[in-house]
């Protein structure tokens, strides 16, 4: 009986690792003279709570935890007050530097699920 439980536990852990390995991360960012904005969106995730971290140069911001909807979770970062009131994590208008940003998806324990660096659109 003990061996059976061990095998079942090992199989369950392997399934979770496989699902995390297939996680998809989409990071988009945009700069304007008076605004920075970005989104960090994960899919193919194990249901649960996640947060996102956005970094550019020496700047870093982290969202609060959010629950997956199906297998997806989405986070917005913005310097626009209207979007912040709608739930975006606040960042400074000059947050994005060097035309690049890195979005990182974290699980509820703070472990990195996936990370991606992208070039930001300048408008």
């Amino acid at each position: 009986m003990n061996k059976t439980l061990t095998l079942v536990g090992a199989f369950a852990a392997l399934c979770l690792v496989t699902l995390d390995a297939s996680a998809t991360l989409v990071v988009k960012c945009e700069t304007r003279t008076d605004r920075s904005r970005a989104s960090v969106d994960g899919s193919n995730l194990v249901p649960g709570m996640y947060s996102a971290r956005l970094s550019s140069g020496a700047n870093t911001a982290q969202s609060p935890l959010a629950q997956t909807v199906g297998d997806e979770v989405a986070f917005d970062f913005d310097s626009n007050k209207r979007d912040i009131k709608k739930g975006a994590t606040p960042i400074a208008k000059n947050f994005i530097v060097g035309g690049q940003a890195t979005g990182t998806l974290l699980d509820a324990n703070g472990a990195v699920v996936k990370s991606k660096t992208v070039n930001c659109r300048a408008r």
Side-chain angles (χ1 to χ4, degrees):
M1 180 68 148
N2 220 4
K3 289 180 184 179
T4 302
L5 289 176
T6 302
L7 283 173
V8 170
F11 179 73
L14 181 61
C15 288
L16 289 176
V17 170
T18 302
L19 289 173
D20 281 346
S22 69
T24 302
L25 186 64
V26 176
V27 179
K28 295 180 182 178
C29 53
E30 179 182 299
T31 60
R32 300 179 188 184
T33 55
D34 63 343
R35 185 177 186 184
S36 286
R37 64 187 294 182
S39 63
V40 178
D41 302 332
S43 60
N44 295 326
L45 299 170
V46 175
M49 300 289 285
Y50 294 86
S51 66
R53 183 172 55 227
L54 182 70
S55 57
S56 183
N59 302 321
T60 301
Q62 186 163 334
S63 73
L65 286 168
Q67 178 68 44
T68 52
V69 176
D71 68 348
E72 299 179 350
V73 67
F75 300 94
D76 293 322
F77 297 82
D78 211 309
S79 61
N80 181 282
K81 290 180 182 179
R82 190 173 348 138
D83 285 324
I84 293 167
K85 285 181 182 177
K86 291 179 183 177
T89 298
I91 56 175
K93 67 181 181 180
N94 59 351
F95 181 93
I96 297 171
V97 294
Q100 286 190 329
T102 300
T104 304
L105 188 63
L106 308 164
D107 68 15
N109 297 317
V112 173
V113 175
K114 203 100 170 180
S115 188
K116 185 175 188 179
T117 301
V118 297
N119 292 320
C120 301
R121 178 179 173 192
R123 289 185 71 178

